[in-house]
Amino acid sequence: MKRRNFIKTSALTSGSLALGGAFSYSKTARPVKAHTFNLKYAPHLGMFKHLAGKDPIDQLHFMADQGFTAFEDNNMRERDIALQDKMAKAMQDVGITMGVFVAHKIYWKEPNLASGNISKREEFLGYIKTSIEVAKRVNAKWMTVVPGHLDLKQNMGYQTANVVETLKQASALLEPHDLTMVLEPLNFRDHPGLFLTKSPQAYAVCKAVDSPSCKILFDIYHQQIQEGNLIPNIEASWDEIAYIQIGDNPGRKEPTTGEINYNNVFKFIHSKGFDGVLGMEHGNSKPDKAGEQAVIDAYKKVDDFLQ
């Protein structure tokens, strides 16, 4: 599933989520937490909609009752402020850490940050200012940034300089609030033509920006497709990684459904003492309640390997 489809699906779902439904998980007798995870895996809205119901608050309670201690929401910036407030309170009540949300409009087909166009830069910085307020409202520390499409009319060196300059200006806005934008390299198959594709490239950009507010989002699914060699590349860029996302390949479903050895990948991440969030930015391999339970069971299985 492509990121734009994640965002579209989540946005469509959120309209009904905000209204709730006849079933209310939060009003039922909820079970004791089923598992204590070693890492902060973060589901998203809709991942457990059959087991928890459509209401976002019910879903957050369900996630916490399963033992998940984090949550991410690509579309948080676009949600009604009243819903943001309700979700923030629910996360605080159940002890869930807010993960990333997408900080800005992503340009999938045309250049923006790579172009050096001042109006595109100002637009991006405007989104960052708005996202600072969202982050404060929902107690978020991280926000996702995708620099957008390549500018095929410019040398890569000039494009990189354009991106770095924009990110430096964004970092100056974020630093006083102790917030971090995390740059996500995306794979060529799902997102052809983008500027940022590999972890070494993201590492070089972050070093050039030289700010605690500009770090890497290492998406394991994307980098398995784009470059492979996962553990060595995570190790090489470790000091610039602030956030991790998950998805198996092929299919972008839960761990254990594809080729990635998540036992060893999670073991390495855990051995590094990582205490950040690992976003579950993937689909479910099976439909309905059985598929949602399969996701929970898969995370229990790979997480138990860490003990």
Side-chain angles (χ1 to χ4, degrees):
M1 184 182 294
K2 297 182 179 181
R3 172 181 291 278
R4 71 194 76 174
N5 292 335
F6 270 113
I7 294 174
K8 180 179 178 182
T9 300
S10 181
L12 291 172
T13 304
S14 66
S16 59
L17 289 176
L19 300 175
F23 172 80
S24 179
Y25 174 79
S26 64
K27 292 183 175 61
T28 64
R30 301 201 303 269
V32 177
K33 284 187 178 180
H35 194 84
T36 299
F37 290 104
N38 292 285
L39 294 170
K40 294 179 183 177
Y41 309 110
H44 55 262
L45 291 183
M47 181 165 268
F48 303 123
K49 63 184 178 183
H50 293 96
L51 290 172
K54 293 183 178 180
D55 184 83
I57 307 306
D58 289 349
Q59 292 188 41
L60 287 166
H61 280 279
F62 178 83
M63 293 170 194
D65 288 338
Q66 303 310 306
F68 294 108
T69 55
F71 165 76
E72 67 176 21
D73 183 11
N74 282 339
N75 289 288
M76 184 64 85
R77 178 178 58 84
E78 299 172 345
R79 300 196 189 281
D80 292 339
I81 291 177
L83 181 56
Q84 292 177 15
D85 288 336
K86 289 179 181 178
M87 292 174 70
K89 184 179 185 303
M91 285 185 278
Q92 186 175 27
D93 289 345
V94 299
I96 280 181
T97 298
M98 176 65 197
V100 292
F101 62 94
V102 177
H104 63 108
K105 174 184 177 181
I106 299 175
Y107 282 74
W108 300 107
K109 297 293 186 180
E110 59 183 291
N112 62 323
L113 299 191
S115 69
N117 183 293
I118 299 302
S119 65
K120 297 298 186 190
R121 176 177 293 166
E122 292 302 320
E123 178 190 65
F124 174 77
L125 295 175
Y127 280 120
I128 294 297
K129 292 174 184 177
T130 300
S131 291
I132 288 171
E133 298 308 311
V134 175
K136 290 179 180 179
R137 194 174 297 123
V138 299
N139 301 311
K141 296 180 180 179
W142 310 275
M143 58 186 74
T144 302
V145 165
V146 176
H149 204 275
L150 286 163
D151 186 341
L152 299 177
K153 295 181 179 180
Q154 291 194 55
N155 181 279
M156 193 63 172
Y158 295 125
Q159 294 183 67
T160 300
N162 292 334
V163 170
V164 167
E165 177 56 31
T166 300
L167 296 178
K168 283 184 175 181
Q169 293 186 31
S171 294
L173 297 173
L174 293 166
E175 286 174 8
H177 305 282
D178 196 25
L179 297 173
T180 302
M181 57 182 168
V182 284
L183 312 181
E184 182 177 11
L186 302 176
N187 78 76
F188 71 96
R189 185 183 69 193
D190 293 344
H191 304 288
L194 294 190
F195 169 82
L196 190 62
T197 59
K198 295 183 179 182
S199 58
Q201 181 192 13
Y203 186 83
V205 168
C206 287
K207 289 299 183 186
V209 175
D210 191 23
S211 168
S213 289
C214 183
K215 296 294 179 181
I216 297 171
L217 189 171
F218 193 104
D219 188 307
I220 295 169
Y221 163 76
H222 284 299
Q223 293 316 304
Q224 171 68 2
I225 296 168
Q226 185 69 34
E227 61 189 15
N229 203 33
L230 289 170
I231 291 175
N233 280 319
I234 294 172
E235 171 70 37
S237 54
W238 184 256
D239 63 316
E240 295 293 341
I241 293 175
Y243 200 95
I244 294 169
Q245 285 182 327
I246 303 161
D248 217 333
N249 182 64
R252 202 175 189 179
K253 307 303 185 196
E254 68 268 20
T256 74
T257 58
E259 66 185 354
I260 300 174
N261 187 337
Y262 268 103
N263 285 345
N264 285 343
V265 172
F266 285 161
K267 184 178 180 180
F268 175 77
I269 292 169
H270 188 249
S271 75
K272 300 289 287 185
F274 186 71
D275 63 355
V277 172
L278 297 94
M280 297 159 61
E281 198 188 36
H282 57 74
N284 300 357
S285 63
K286 300 175 183 177
D288 303 326
K289 290 183 178 180
E292 294 173 5
Q293 187 60 51
V295 170
I296 296 167
D297 292 342
Y299 277 90
K300 290 179 182 178
K301 181 178 180 181
V302 293
D303 190 78
D304 282 342
F305 188 76
L306 303 179
Q307 298 178 8

